[in-house]
Amino acid sequence: MPIGVPKVPFRLPGEEDAVWVDVYNRLYRERLLFPGQQVDDEVANQLIGIMMYLNGEDQAKDMYLYINSPGGAVLAGISVYDAMQFVVPDVHTICMGLAASMGSSILAGGEITRRIALPHARVMIHQPASSYYDGQAGECVMEAEEALKLRDCITKVYAQRTGKPLWIISEDMERDVFLSAEEARDYGVADLVALETVSH
């Protein structure tokens, strides 16, 4: 049975009484964001809007993106990545669950030294895929050229953020490369693996 989005009490600044808001809105007020689904234009615009609002509200407080995403549209993901670089506060990225495809680009786009993978997280990188296969031959050629430009853009982002040479990134992006938390750290997509705590 779905439980819906839980509500929690929150007192707005300057108000005497608390109001009930959904838990995600409450967490956004603490600068915690959750790209937890396929990244499309709508999700990207919501994330960017929240980041821009928080950037304007207080440029001294860091933001935290908790990522559990199978990826999504390349241009939508790139727009989130660009917004992360644009805002003044440091953007911490935390992979919990899966950061695949554009999700891994967003993970890599966090502030260097502040990109974390939880112990059982999985990260996957690969080249952008084209979504259009019908149409006239000329359109296919133009689409192929655009896909190559996007692939080059993503390759440069990974190279810049991981410190690996372009040729290694380009080779690895030829296929799906799945990484454990430790492998993602060693590859340079993340900086730290959160310590696993075991209570006895």
Side-chain angles (χ1 to χ4, degrees):
M1 170 191 317
I3 61 167
V5 179
K7 300 264 186 186
V8 293
F10 175 62
R11 190 169 60 218
L12 295 164
E15 296 291 324
E16 287 189 25
D17 297 325
V19 295
W20 289 91
V21 298
D22 73 67
V23 71
Y24 288 110
N25 281 322
R26 178 66 183 99
L27 291 168
Y28 295 158
R29 299 296 306 163
E30 299 300 325
R31 307 173 88 80
L32 309 175
L33 294 88
F34 295 85
Q37 66 244 54
Q38 187 102 354
V39 180
D40 59 18
D41 290 336
E42 183 179 352
V43 169
N45 288 337
Q46 288 174 358
L47 276 171
I48 292 166
I50 294 167
M51 284 193 287
M52 293 303 155
Y53 173 79
L54 295 174
N55 182 64
E57 182 182 61
D58 188 343
Q59 296 187 345
K61 281 186 171 178
D62 292 355
M63 298 181 207
Y64 300 81
L65 267 63
Y66 290 86
I67 303 162
N68 183 19
S69 172
V74 177
L75 291 173
I78 289 173
S79 67
V80 173
Y81 172 86
D82 283 346
M84 292 165 63
Q85 309 315 307
F86 178 78
V87 295
V88 176
D90 288 349
V91 179
H92 301 238
T93 51
I94 302 98
C95 176
M96 42 193 310
L98 177 68
S101 190
M102 286 315 296
S104 66
S105 299
I106 293 170
L107 171 64
E111 185 69 24
I112 302 284
T113 74
R114 302 212 166 125
R115 303 169 303 174
I116 299 170
L118 296 187
H120 299 104
R122 302 294 292 172
V123 175
M124 188 268 281
I125 66 170
H126 67 178
Q127 63 183 314
S130 175
S131 56
Y132 306 105
Y133 290 103
D134 53 351
Q136 300 193 2
E139 292 172 359
C140 291
V141 169
M142 289 191 318
E143 167 124 2
E145 288 174 0
E146 184 62 20
L148 286 172
K149 288 177 188 171
L150 289 173
R151 186 187 196 284
D152 186 52
C153 173
I154 298 297
T155 304
K156 286 177 179 170
V157 164
Y158 281 123
Q160 177 193 13
R161 306 303 293 184
T162 65
K164 292 206 174 303
L166 272 170
W167 69 270
I168 289 180
I169 300 290
S170 189
E171 246 180 43
D172 289 346
M173 285 177 61
E174 287 295 326
R175 66 203 186 288
D176 292 355
V177 176
F178 284 90
L179 306 168
S180 67
E182 291 80 10
E183 289 166 337
R185 177 198 59 211
D186 295 344
Y187 199 89
V189 178
D191 302 303
L192 301 166
V193 177
L195 295 177
E196 193 170 8
T197 56
V198 180
S199 57
H200 295 286

